[in-house]
Each structure stands twice: as C-alpha cells, then as structure tokens.
Amino acid sequence: MRIATVHDRLALLTPAGALDVATASNGEFGPDPQTAFDDWVTFREWATTAHGDAVAFTPEDLGPPVPRPRQVFAIGLNYTRHAHESGLPVPTQPLVFTKFPSAITGPAGEIVLSGPTVDWEVELVAVIGTEARNVTEADGWSHVAGLTAGQDLSDRTLQNAGAPPQFSMGKSYPGFAPIGPYLVTPDELADPDDLRVVTTVDGAVRQDSRTSDLVFSIPQLVSWLSGVVTLLPGDLIFTGTPEGVGLGRTPQLYLHPGEVLETTIEGIGTMRHTLLPPTTKGPRI
Ligand code: ZN
C-alpha cells in the first residue's frame, strides 16, 4: 500500500491515480493525513478493499505524508562508511537527536537555506504505526506503518557550535525535514532492509549507498528507542545518512541557492527541492 498527501488530503495511491480516502470511505476516515495513524490497523484493513474514482496528480500537489508527528527521532552516525568519513568510531548504541516537527515539509517545492554551510543527508524514514514500548527487535517491524524518504538537512555551523555540540537546532530550520513522496508499507518492498539511497544536486550524485550498511537496523532502532520512550503512532525515525555528505569532503562542499536537490530511495520515490538564499541572519553563534 502507498499513501500520500494530495492537496492536503489523505489519499491512497492506485494505478489510476490518487483515491481520496475521506470520500471513498464515506467519512469512516477523515481527510487529515495524520489521522491515518489513529487506528492504523483498521485503516490498513479498509485500504485493501477501497475503491472509487482515482484522479491524476502532479508532484507539486503532494504534501508530507506524515504532516504532524508528535515525535521525530533522528539517528547519528548510523552507517559504517559515514562514521568512517566523519573520522568517528562506529557507535555501540544509537546516537539520538530530534528534528523538531515544525521543520517538516513536503516532497516538492522550495527550501530556504539558513546560511553557507547547509549539508545534505538522504535518510530512510520509518513511520510508527502502533504504539511501541519495550518491544523486542523481533517485533520491531510490526510497529512500523511504512517507510518514506527524508532529507536531514543540516546547518553544520550551528550543528557543531558549542562544546559539546547540540545537533537538534541546526537540523530544525523550517523546511529542513522534507519527507515523501509517499508512505510505502514494507510488504511493497522486495527487501525493506536493503534499499538504495541517493542524493543528487543539479543532477550530480553526492550520495549513493544502500541501507544494508546501517549500523542499527529499523527493528533494532524501534526496540532500542522504545526501551526508553513510548513510540506513538505517526512518529518518525530518521534512520541516519550514508557516506557522501559535504562535511566529509576535502574541501568541504555545501548547498547553494538556486541548486536543485533530489532525494531518492529505491521503491519509494524521489523528492525534488529548489534551494533559496537565506532570508534571516539566524542565531548569533
Ligand atoms: Zn542525519
């Protein structure tokens, strides 16, 4: 199953286009995409029998498939080769920070850069379907509604300011958490633990890796996080980025106004954003 936010409404994707969920369900489910996670099991059951008039849509019609998660977790240094390029040891337990939910935006459009050191980080994003607390790794996937693509856009100057540095602020400017284009249930993917993840800038490949290089897999992250906090339906886990970020290059390379950033995950789709120049000076650091 694939769901999307089309013209701000929850839609089920069919070969013919987008099926509006509120209309097709005669109101059993509302138009707000976030409410799909209120009772994910029932929604998913209904979706297997849904029918109605699907309509065509364009990428610009799409919003974030999960517009208002209550919690957004992000994992640092979660690919072996990315840890190596960062000159840091491979973690022995997940390194967790947050991207504040107001940073979320859709899979197409414009993103305002915060300054001259904004970096790209393609990430597979897991969406929680049912509440998880103290779950085992074996049960991890059963709490995941689906997967989507994300960019963990990162202002490296702000991220690394201070001692010790605090990651969350530099990764939470408006638009710094684009997700989409769709939420895809794991059964749609040949191997949800081995997906190609790619970032391009103006068509040039900056990251091209596979999620099989993850240090902590999605079920391991669900298990570990749920041992501390309660994971809530509709929460997001940005699972970390592979090698190829601008910070790890010599010389370092960052995003520039006017460039087009494309984010692709195999079996899920591509997001496309045009980058705009900073509009504010940002914090004093
Ligand atoms: Zn990241």
Side-chain angles (χ1 to χ4, degrees), residues 75 97 121 123 152 171 240-241:
I75 311 299
F97 55 92
E121 292 194 354
E123 304 204 3
D152 176 17
K171 292 164 171 276
T241 200

Side-chain angles (χ1 to χ4, degrees), residues 114 155 158 173 280-285:
S114 56
D155 184 312
L158 182 55
Y173 283 93
T280 63
K281 287 185 175 176
R284 289 165 62 94
I285 53 175

Side-chain angles (χ1 to χ4, degrees), residues 50-204:
H51 59 276
D53 293 327
V55 297
F57 61 92
T58 69
E60 289 68 33
D61 297 333
L62 295 172
V66 187
R68 297 186 315 282
R70 285 173 283 186
Q71 305 182 98
V72 181
F73 304 91
I75 311 299
L77 297 178
N78 199 27
Y79 283 76
T80 306
R81 291 187 291 270
H82 176 54
H84 290 155
E85 76 175 349
S86 302
L88 293 165
V90 175
T92 54
Q93 67 176 29
L95 302 175
V96 185
F97 55 92
T98 192
K99 291 174 77 69
F100 292 101
S102 60
I104 287 173
T105 193
E110 297 170 332
I111 295 173
V112 177
L113 297 173
S114 56
T117 60
V118 178
D119 208 345
W120 53 85
E121 292 194 354
V122 58
E123 304 204 3
L124 180 63
V125 177
V127 183
I128 297 298
T130 54
E131 186 172 303
R133 175 77 183 135
N134 282 324
V135 303
T136 64
E137 180 185 339
D139 286 338
W141 270 119
S142 71
H143 291 273
V144 174
L147 303 172
T148 191
Q151 265 286 344
D152 176 17
L153 287 166
S154 303
D155 184 312
R156 297 301 192 199
T157 302
L158 182 55
Q159 177 189 341
N160 292 315
Q166 49 175 342
F167 280 17
S168 299
M169 294 303 287
K171 292 164 171 276
S172 292
Y173 283 93
F176 273 30
I179 55 171
Y182 315 118
L183 182 153
V184 179
T185 53
D187 60 291
E188 293 262 330
L189 303 164
D191 183 353
D193 289 302
D194 184 19
L195 302 172
R196 187 180 180 189
V197 293
V198 178
T199 296
T200 70
V201 177
D202 285 348

